[in-house]
Amino acid sequence: MANSNSDRFSPKLHIKKGDKVIVLSGASKGKTGNVLEVFPNKNRAIVDGVNIVKKHTKPSNDNPGGINEIPAPLHISNLSLIDPKSGEATRIGRKEVDGKLVRYSKKSGEIIK
């Protein structure tokens, strides 16, 4: 079986850890939160307080066990960055400013971090 491209490199994503995002579709549609973790090879991200699932864990020395609620990963296509100026969903562009590549909001033109 030949190696796929996803094994060799990860795609360039528009969403990074720490970004404030809104969920565009699915059961958690309309909810907002900060990105806790991004999985580039799977095109998924974990958003704080969104897509909460119940996970059953066995007891161990560190963990008493039981049913825990944890955020599950969402597909990147269901997320959109929130515009820092208006607070609405926006698309992302990249441009060079002072020799550095920065992300900016397509809606307001505001530079993101």
Side-chain angles (χ1 to χ4, degrees):
M1 188 165 142
N3 285 346
S4 65
N5 285 342
S6 63
D7 293 343
R8 286 183 252 152
F9 65 91
S10 56
K12 190 76 167 171
L13 302 176
H14 300 287
I15 292 172
K16 292 164 116 177
K17 182 178 176 179
D19 284 346
K20 184 125 172 99
V21 295
I22 187 167
V23 181
L24 300 176
S25 65
S28 302
K29 181 178 180 176
K31 290 186 182 176
T32 61
N34 290 325
V35 176
L36 299 176
E37 196 174 351
V38 178
F39 305 105
N41 289 334
K42 295 181 180 177
N43 281 337
R44 294 187 173 270
I46 294 179
V47 182
D48 190 28
V50 177
N51 197 27
I52 301 293
V53 296
K54 292 186 184 228
K55 182 167 175 69
H56 296 252
T57 53
K58 268 188 152 178
S60 67
N61 290 338
D62 318 334
N63 184 5
I67 302 171
N68 302 325
E69 291 190 349
I70 60 162
L74 288 161
H75 199 271
I76 294 284
S77 65
N78 295 332
L79 302 174
S80 182
L81 216 71
I82 292 180
D83 190 352
K85 204 177 241 181
S86 68
E88 296 175 358
T90 182
R91 290 182 298 149
I92 299 302
R94 289 187 177 88
K95 64 182 175 184
E96 201 170 318
V97 176
D98 299 329
K100 286 185 83 173
L101 202 62
V102 295
R103 297 183 307 158
Y104 71 96
S105 163
K106 293 245 182 156
K107 205 164 251 188
S108 66
E110 187 100 359
I111 291 177
I112 299 165
K113 286 192 246 173

